[in-house]
Amino acid sequence: MKKALHVVRPRFRLDLGHGIHGSRVFWHGRALARELDVDPRLLAWFAFLHDSQRHDDGIDHGHGGRAADFAVELRQRGVLTELDRRHFEQLCEAMRLHSDGHTENEPGIVACWDADRLDLGRVGITPAPHRLCTAPAREPQRIERAVAMSCAPARRRRR
Ligand SMILES: [Fe+2]
């Protein structure tokens, strides 16, 4: 997780709080990974890469594809080495499609999408259960807690 954040931080094209969003996505993703028996390293890379290539904070069609291209670049440079080939392909597919509203795919991919969608409270949206992909993500208490986390003021970092 630290490696993913370290690699991605200088590449954020916008300072829109995506690092904080990524941290919450990873928090949700780690819990979902445990419950869905998915490799948490996939969720860590997804959390910090998937919005790293945004040009704006709107829909920005294409930012998932650019994030996947960035992942390929990191792989070729020997930086993103933790994932085996199958998980790396899942990471790229999850990022390419993450804002298209799909709800079905392999467990690793839908875990990534749910981890991201659980943080929709940051833009004033309460995640709708029918737009989430997995049973654990649809649990009302998890959604309620996720919204509270999204809306909580960011804690200041210690120096
Ligand atoms: Fe996101």
Side-chain angles (χ1 to χ4, degrees), residues 18 21-22 25 46-47 50-51 54 63 98 116-117 119 122:
H18 289 145
H21 167 55
V25 171
F46 175 84
H50 76 282
D51 276 341
R54 277 186 169 278
H63 75 279
H98 80 271
D116 187 31
R117 290 171 196 176
D119 196 38
R122 79 192 187 284

Side-chain angles (χ1 to χ4, degrees), residues 48-65:
F48 293 104
L49 278 184
H50 76 282
D51 276 341
S52 68
Q53 304 302 305
R54 277 186 169 278
H55 292 158
D56 61 60
D57 210 16
I59 295 171
D60 191 3
H61 294 293
H63 75 279

Side-chain angles (χ1 to χ4, degrees), residues 103-120:
T103 56
E104 290 183 15
N105 211 309
E106 296 175 66
I109 293 174
V110 294
C112 291
W113 294 343
D114 276 354
D116 187 31
R117 290 171 196 176
L118 281 169
D119 196 38
L120 277 170

Side-chain angles (χ1 to χ4, degrees), residues 21-148:
H21 167 55
S23 297
R24 288 191 301 258
V25 171
F26 179 57
W27 194 90
H28 297 308
R30 196 169 40 182
L32 291 174
R34 233 180 352 252
E35 293 179 55
L36 298 167
D37 197 20
V38 168
D39 188 337
R41 295 173 298 182
L42 168 63
L43 277 297
W45 279 107
F46 175 84
F48 293 104
L49 278 184
H50 76 282
D51 276 341
S52 68
Q53 304 302 305
R54 277 186 169 278
H55 292 158
D56 61 60
D57 210 16
I59 295 171
D60 191 3
H61 294 293
H63 75 279
R66 290 193 298 275
D69 292 345
F70 181 39
V72 170
E73 181 191 321
L74 292 173
R75 186 84 160 176
Q76 288 169 344
R77 281 170 35 204
V79 176
L80 203 170
T81 54
E82 293 78 12
L83 304 179
D84 63 21
R85 185 179 167 158
R86 184 174 137 253
H87 285 102
F88 180 72
E89 285 171 1
Q90 288 181 344
L91 171 68
C92 292
E93 173 137 345
M95 293 199 293
R96 269 196 199 96
L97 301 176
H98 80 271
S99 51
D100 292 351
H102 302 292
T103 56
E104 290 183 15
N105 211 309
E106 296 175 66
I109 293 174
V110 294
C112 291
W113 294 343
D114 276 354
D116 187 31
R117 290 171 196 176
L118 281 169
D119 196 38
L120 277 170
R122 79 192 187 284
V123 290
I125 297 170
T126 298
H130 71 280
R131 294 187 185 231
L132 294 167
C133 316
T134 66
R138 290 189 202 108
E139 289 167 8
Q141 282 185 332
R142 190 186 298 266
I143 293 173
E144 198 177 310
R145 186 172 182 187
V147 170

